[in-house]
Amino acid sequence: MSTIVSPSILSCDFANVQRDVEMINSSDADWFHIDVMDGVFVPNISFGFPVISAVKKHATKPLDVHLMIANPDQYVEEFKKSGADMLTVHYEACTHLHRTIQNIKSHGMMAGVALNPHTSIELLDDIIEDLDLVLIMSVNPGFGGQKFIKNAILKVEQLANLIHRKGSRAKIEVDGGVNLETGALLVQAGANALVAGSFVFNAPDPMKAISDLKKL
Ligand code: DX5
Ligand code: ZN
């Protein structure tokens, strides 16, 4: 199966969101990666429900929503209403992760868990069978355009083993500093889905950048 590509709209031109959404619609991308930051869980604020609803109005592909927020539980229903198809919460932000995952699923969304660079794969041992997606952060969350942390490659291998051992169907997605070079190493290690922000939107030809990632 070919690599899933999820361009991050955090790096798009916010004065031309519709234009950039339509570019992704007509590209080889599979999903829209949408980064929600609250200025509490991460040291940056991005955007919230009105922007997601606006993207949803034009998007012809699923919305892969990455929540970098404290207390995600209280907003699960609102994200569903705004158009999220997949909802990923941070392991580090959820005291009752099992409950949060069931809550997401009960709203008909795919459920994902994101791990910060310092958070070990082993911690997913007792939840992996319930997950549709695991998002390995290869930068510290909060900003686009950061340098790739190489240890993420090892984590992808460890996660692929865990998924195999437990018979889970979870997909492995990686987020942060993804380009053709890091992307190739990640896919080789077992990643199924790549998020890319600056690599796509700073490219002279974003559609080509997406199709190059898709071929990895
Ligand atoms: C970082 C976000 C990423 C970001 C990736 O906190 O979760 O999705 O948009 O940007 P690049 O690809 O530029 O590292
Ligand atoms: Zn993200």
Side-chain angles (χ1 to χ4, degrees):
M1 219 183 79
S2 69
T3 305
I4 293 167
V5 178
S6 192
S8 170
I9 64 148
L10 187 64
S11 296
C12 83
D13 176 356
F14 289 126
N16 288 288
V17 175
Q18 184 178 352
R19 183 200 64 194
D20 286 352
V21 167
E22 276 160 8
M23 180 277 289
I24 296 173
N25 283 343
S26 45
S27 76
D28 288 337
D30 299 273
W31 301 340
F32 284 81
H33 187 79
I34 306 213
D35 290 304
V36 179
M37 306 178 185
D38 67 353
V40 177
F41 179 70
V42 285
N44 194 12
I45 297 176
S46 58
F47 44 73
F49 306 117
V51 172
I52 300 176
S53 303
V55 170
K56 186 70 177 179
K57 229 191 275 173
H58 302 287
T60 57
K61 297 171 182 183
L63 302 194
D64 161 33
V65 178
H66 174 196
L67 299 186
M68 285 159 274
I69 66 173
N71 302 318
D73 254 295
Q74 64 190 103
Y75 303 108
V76 167
E77 192 173 349
E78 200 69 26
F79 281 109
K80 171 68 184 176
K81 284 188 191 151
S82 304
D85 297 283
M86 288 162 248
L87 201 60
T88 295
V89 295
H90 264 264
Y91 179 90
E92 305 81 8
C94 297
T95 310
H96 302 287
L97 183 60
H98 184 271
R99 179 182 290 150
T100 307
I101 293 302
Q102 304 312 322
N103 186 13
I104 294 170
K105 288 178 155 181
S106 75
H107 284 85
M109 294 179 282
M110 279 171 67
V113 170
L115 299 184
N116 276 338
H118 73 277
T119 303
S120 169
I121 297 296
E122 285 170 27
L123 296 167
L124 295 179
D125 232 75
D126 293 317
I127 190 88
I128 193 72
E129 286 155 276
D130 295 299
L131 302 181
D132 299 304
L133 192 73
V134 177
L135 182 60
I136 294 188
M137 294 306 302
S138 39
V139 296
N140 285 295
F143 304 93
Q146 302 183 81
K147 192 171 178 291
F148 182 78
I149 298 171
K150 286 204 188 81
N151 189 50
I153 297 166
L154 181 63
K155 288 175 82 172
V156 169
E157 285 172 6
Q158 292 169 341
L159 178 58
N161 284 336
L162 175 64
I163 287 172
H164 182 71
R165 179 159 59 83
K166 295 274 190 170
S168 159
R169 292 181 316 162
K171 290 196 186 322
I172 303 175
E173 186 176 27
V174 187
D175 186 6
V178 170
N179 55 35
L180 290 181
E181 192 188 328
T182 57
L185 297 169
L186 292 165
V187 169
Q188 204 175 13
N192 311 113
L194 299 174
V195 175
S198 48
F199 176 71
V200 167
F201 287 98
N202 294 346
D205 182 349
M207 302 247 303
K208 181 174 183 304
I210 292 169
S211 51
D212 287 347
L213 285 173
K214 183 83 194 151
K215 286 180 205 133
L216 291 178

